């Protein structure tokens, strides 16, 4: 389903979740309140996944609109709305003390980390599966002989 929105979206979401698992496994040993750490982190990861899907949807809608000025206004409006929603969600998290705000922020950073690491992850996965690398045109299913 995510691939229909954007070809790179499933890899981006997978990267966010892998990042969340890594931060969870590393950081949970160093905090006293493990529940707040965990709920804050996964709240942030959920927000990051939602942001990734929303960004991909906005890009798809804007590209298919045809009217450049209308598309530009729509992208700006949706971007501002995204930031407002994130601020409101963080305010709710902090007000009701549902999780750690710092780890929630670390979770949202998973979107950036995954976006930067996605090309490396895609390359590694294509090498593991033996598929042809579309970017370089190389066949990754080379046999090594000695």
């Amino acid at each position: 389903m995510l691939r229909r929105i954007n070809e790179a979206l499933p890899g981006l979401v997978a990267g966010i979740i892998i990042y969340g698992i890594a931060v969870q496994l590393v950081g949970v040993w160093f905090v006293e309140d493990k529940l707040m750490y965990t709920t804050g982190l996964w709240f942030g990861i959920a927000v990051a996944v939602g942001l990734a899907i929303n960004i991909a949807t906005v890009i798809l809608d804007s590209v298919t609109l045809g009217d450049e000025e209308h598309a530009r206004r729509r992208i700006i409006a949706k971007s501002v709305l995204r930031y407002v929603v994130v601020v409101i969600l963080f305010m709710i998290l902090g007000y009701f003390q549902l999780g750690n705000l710092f780890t929630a922020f670390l979770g949202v950073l998973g979107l950036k980390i995954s976006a930067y690491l996605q090309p490396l992850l895609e390359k590694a996965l294509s090498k593991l599966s033996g598929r042809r690398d579309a970017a370089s045109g190389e066949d990754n299913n080379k046999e090594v002989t000695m």
Side-chain angles (χ1 to χ4, degrees):
M1 179 183 135
L2 294 176
R3 195 169 299 282
R4 282 186 273 163
I5 298 172
N6 186 313
E7 199 62 30
L9 190 55
L12 184 65
V13 170
I16 294 168
I17 293 171
I18 291 168
Y19 166 81
I21 292 169
V23 172
Q24 175 72 36
L25 292 176
V26 170
V28 76
W29 302 106
F30 300 107
V31 295
E32 288 182 22
D33 194 353
K34 293 175 184 353
L35 180 63
M36 291 292 276
Y37 176 91
T38 301
T39 55
L41 175 66
W42 288 102
F43 176 85
I45 294 295
V47 169
V49 169
L51 289 172
I53 293 170
N54 182 267
I55 290 168
T57 307
V58 168
I59 290 171
L60 177 65
D61 290 347
S62 298
V63 169
T64 58
L65 274 178
D67 180 23
E68 186 179 326
E69 184 59 36
H70 183 107
R72 183 178 297 125
R73 280 185 282 154
R74 184 181 184 122
I75 290 171
I76 291 169
K78 295 284 185 163
S79 295
V80 170
L81 181 62
R82 244 189 331 270
Y83 287 116
V84 168
V85 167
V86 169
V87 168
I88 290 170
L89 289 173
F90 270 63
M91 288 173 62
I92 291 170
L93 180 75
Y95 182 76
F96 292 110
Q97 297 180 353
L98 300 172
N100 186 314
L101 283 173
F102 179 71
T103 57
F105 178 72
L106 287 178
V108 173
L109 280 180
L111 176 62
K112 296 287 187 194
I113 301 295
S114 179
Y116 288 126
L117 293 179
Q118 187 185 13
L120 298 174
L121 181 65
E122 288 291 324
K123 191 172 185 178
L125 289 176
S126 70
K127 282 189 179 192
L128 286 175
S129 67
R131 291 184 302 175
R132 185 177 170 92
D133 188 2
S136 67
E138 294 177 1
D139 188 3
N140 288 326
N141 198 13
K142 295 178 184 174
E143 193 173 294
V144 178
T145 57
M146 298 226 165

